[in-house]
Structures are given as structure tokens and as C-alpha cells.
Amino acid sequence: GEDVEQSLFLSVREGDSSVINCTYTDSSSTYLYWYKQEPGAGLQLLTYIFSNMDMKQDQRLTVLLNKKDKHLSLRIADTQTGDSAIYFCAESPHGSGNTGKLIFGQGTTLQVKP
Amino acid sequence: EAQVTQNPRYLITVTGKKLTVTCSQNMNHEYMSWYRQDPGLGLRQIYYSMNVEVTDKGDVPEGYKVSRKEKRNFPLILESPSPNQTSLYFCASSPRQTTGELFFGEGSRLTVL
């Protein structure tokens, strides 16, 4: 069935790069998403990638998609303490166009140490 | 300010006491949805609505009801809450159901004793 897996925790030093990884099962997903959840807040869409793309860059964020391995990653360059949050990978599985459902991973807690 | 507003943000209740979590959006979005977030499980969809008077079940609808009488409001109703419904609940909206760009509320933390 549909499933999205992420590692649960990542700790980096301020100024380093962070790489958060995600694997998914539905190869027909049209879009893949990264959401960010800050403490006590709802999720915010950070970026997304269309399934026919390999890479998307948006300022400090780089999304890499390996469709063959069904692997998605989010790289944050020059990580800052304000980047500390939970990051969710999500896919829009095939056939979900009528439900709007996203399948979310468990979330990766990013801890940035000064 | 464009936003999704949920109330209450925090609630402690007892088994069997009916409660409603309200959700309102001011962006004129057609699509609205409820998710619950549990540790280690990510977010799971409870119910969704594609427009006024159109609602349908998500992945974990048992024990919940919703209604969509107006475009802006999408309340979540727990008729007889049980401890396994202790969770963090999020309402989300989107301009249309075919996009994954969801706008989330701040969440409602519910504890059922």
C-alpha cells in the first residue's frame, strides 16, 4: 500500500548543511512535498517537486528526486537555528486527485546546535 | 490575513462527552480536510470535503463526523469520544482538491480521559 518513510531525528551544527531523506512507495505520485512544522504550529508547505523533475532549488533548499529508487531528499544549506523544526515528506498518491489526500511520513525532527 | 482557525487549541474531556472542534478558513477555499497527528505515525486523514455539502471519509473516520454547511466552516464532531481519540488534530484547506498545497490550522490538542 501507500507508505512514506523518514528517519526520525537529525542533529547538525549551525552553518552546516542538513539532508533529510524520505522514501515512498507509490511510483505514480504526481507531486512530492516537503512540509515544515515549527513547535506549537501547524504544517507549512516548504517546497514541492513535480515527478518529472530530478532536482529543484529554491534559495537554501534543494530537493532531489530519484524516481527509480523512490527516494526524495531535502537539503538545507547553511542551516540556521531557525530551521529547527519537524520536516514532513508527503506524496500525492495516484488516484488521490478526487480526495486531495496526502500521505505523510512520520516526520524528521531537525535539531540545529549553535 | 489568510488563515485557518481552529478552536479550541487545547481540550481535556472525559469518555463519552460529545465535543466539537471548529475550523474556519477565510481564503474561500473549496477543499477542506481533517488530519490527526500521532507520534510515529505522521498525519492521517480523517475526513475531507470538496465543497459545500460534499464530505467523504478519509483513512481513519471511525468515531468522527463532519459537516460542511458553509464554505468557510468544517467542524469535526466526536459524538462519544474515547481515549484512543487522544491526539493532535489539524484542519487544512486548499483552493482545490487536486493540489497538495494545504494550508493548515495551528492544531487542536485533545485529551480524552
Side-chain angles (χ1 to χ4, degrees):
Chain A
E2 307 147 345
D3 196 19
V4 178
E5 296 281 338
Q6 300 176 239
S7 53
L8 296 182
F9 187 78
L10 175 65
S11 180
V12 301
R13 293 237 171 254
E14 191 173 19
D16 288 349
S17 290
S18 308
V19 179
I20 303 171
N21 294 300
C22 167
T23 57
Y24 60 96
T25 56
D26 192 330
S27 57
S28 61
S29 289
T30 309
Y31 289 94
L32 294 138
Y33 305 87
W34 285 104
Y35 277 81
K36 177 183 180 182
Q37 184 182 27
E38 294 182 355
L43 281 73
Q44 270 187 302
L45 180 64
L46 205 53
T47 188
Y48 65 92
I49 188 166
F50 189 52
S51 58
N52 68 356
M53 298 169 66
D54 298 323
M55 184 181 88
K56 179 179 179 181
Q57 186 146 8
D58 184 1
Q59 299 183 329
R60 291 189 298 121
L61 305 178
T62 303
V63 179
L64 294 177
L65 175 60
N66 181 330
K67 283 196 75 174
K68 175 174 167 290
D69 294 339
K70 298 179 194 167
H71 183 267
L72 183 73
S73 67
L74 173 70
R75 179 177 181 269
I76 306 173
D78 187 25
T79 313
Q80 304 297 307
T81 53
D83 295 322
S84 293
I86 303 175
Y87 291 82
F88 290 92
C89 170
E91 65 169 344
S92 177
H94 180 66
S96 74
N98 288 334
T99 72
K101 181 175 76 175
L102 294 185
I103 304 294
F104 286 88
Q106 310 95 313
T108 300
T109 298
L110 176 63
Q111 178 188 68
V112 183
K113 295 179 182 175
Chain B
E1 183 191 347
Q3 58 186 4
V4 178
T5 304
Q6 298 178 223
N7 278 296
R9 294 287 315 278
Y10 302 92
L11 179 64
I12 300 174
T13 190
V14 295
T15 299
K17 186 175 181 183
K18 180 180 178 179
L19 68 94
T20 299
V21 186
T22 63
C23 173
S24 181
Q25 50 93 5
N26 62 0
M27 295 168 279
N28 202 37
H29 285 170
E30 288 185 356
Y31 180 86
M32 297 186 75
S33 181
W34 276 101
Y35 285 83
R36 62 179 285 175
Q37 182 182 14
D38 299 292
L41 296 177
L43 281 81
R44 294 176 293 169
Q45 190 184 54
I46 303 171
Y47 267 94
Y48 65 95
S49 169
M50 288 193 281
N51 215 325
V52 177
E53 301 292 0
V54 180
T55 65
D56 211 340
K57 296 176 181 177
D59 291 325
V60 289
E62 294 77 21
Y64 304 96
K65 284 173 58 177
V66 293
S67 69
R68 187 93 182 272
K69 295 188 173 65
E70 308 160 283
K71 200 171 189 178
R72 61 183 294 131
N73 295 325
F74 189 45
L76 179 70
I77 303 153
L78 285 73
E79 293 270 4
S80 183
S82 62
N84 65 11
Q85 292 179 297
T86 292
S87 188
L88 179 57
Y89 291 88
F90 286 102
C91 180
S93 72
S94 179
R96 54 195 178 279
Q97 70 270 17
T98 52
T99 177
E101 186 179 3
L102 294 172
F103 293 78
F104 282 83
E106 292 185 313
S108 297
R109 185 166 291 281
L110 171 66
T111 301
V112 184
L113 302 175

